[in-house]
Amino acid sequence: MAVTVTANLESIRREIDDACRVAGRDPGSVRLLPVSKYQGIDAIREAHAAGYDLFGENRPQELAMKAGELGGEGIGFAAIGQVQTNKARLIAEHAAELHSLDSLKLAEALQRRCDVLGRRLPVLVQVNTSGEAAKSGITPPTPSATPRAWRRSTHSNRAG
């Protein structure tokens, strides 16, 4: 018997809730972000019916297509993974959130697009604390300087 999307999400949520209780943390403080990569529209709708309204997607073109088809149903998509600057338009137009802001260049490109659209985009800044060149993210001490550069930004909302 195949495991349904709903059953899978319920199982993962139980594991998260159990881990939170062991750690003395409020389970409600942890948000599960189902990833929609390679998932069809029906699977996303099933997850939405189970109570999830935000999904992670790491391919900007796929995010735009899914957001276009499902956005009117109260379903949103968070861009996850590295985003190339030339994809800033798709993210600014279609993403509910960006979870991987890794450069000032990308921030500026998103800002320009959000200015045109008149919208704010919640972003999470990705920091490369290891300093490894193979890893993405803003490297210290840049993270502390970068928010100062964004203070003039009117259309990005640094959420973390």
Side-chain angles (χ1 to χ4, degrees):
M1 181 171 161
V3 177
T4 66
V5 170
T6 302
N8 197 20
L9 288 169
E10 287 172 353
S11 174
I12 294 167
R13 185 73 241 181
R14 277 193 304 275
E15 289 179 31
I16 291 170
D17 292 351
D18 290 346
C20 284
R21 280 189 279 284
V22 169
R25 183 173 176 178
D26 174 16
S29 70
V30 176
R31 178 174 71 167
L32 173 60
L33 181 69
V35 175
S36 62
K37 182 177 183 179
Y38 301 126
Q39 298 301 313
I41 298 301
D42 290 340
I44 297 167
R45 283 189 173 124
E46 182 183 344
H48 183 249
Y52 295 89
D53 58 4
L54 185 68
F55 298 86
E57 181 61 59
N58 73 330
R59 296 174 296 169
Q61 296 92 333
E62 193 75 12
L63 183 150
M65 186 277 300
K66 290 175 180 175
E69 187 161 343
L70 298 169
E73 298 176 33
I75 298 172
F77 293 88
I80 60 175
Q82 188 172 28
V83 175
Q84 297 173 350
T85 305
N86 66 351
K87 303 295 184 194
R89 179 186 60 79
L90 288 173
I91 300 304
E93 290 175 359
H94 300 284
E97 300 176 355
L98 172 63
H99 287 203
S100 54
L101 182 61
D102 63 355
S103 72
L104 187 55
K105 182 179 177 184
L106 176 59
E108 290 168 342
L110 287 167
Q111 177 64 38
R112 285 190 300 275
R113 296 304 308 166
C114 286
D115 282 345
V116 168
L117 297 168
R119 74 170 293 221
R120 295 181 68 80
L121 178 67
V123 299
L124 300 175
V125 178
Q126 182 177 346
V127 180
N128 178 351
T129 58
S130 71
E132 294 177 44
K135 299 201 176 184
S136 297
I138 297 168
T139 55
T142 310
S144 62
T146 300
R148 281 194 300 274
W150 293 337
R151 282 191 188 127
R152 66 185 180 276
S153 170
T154 57
H155 291 98
S156 67
N157 180 21
R158 285 144 330 268

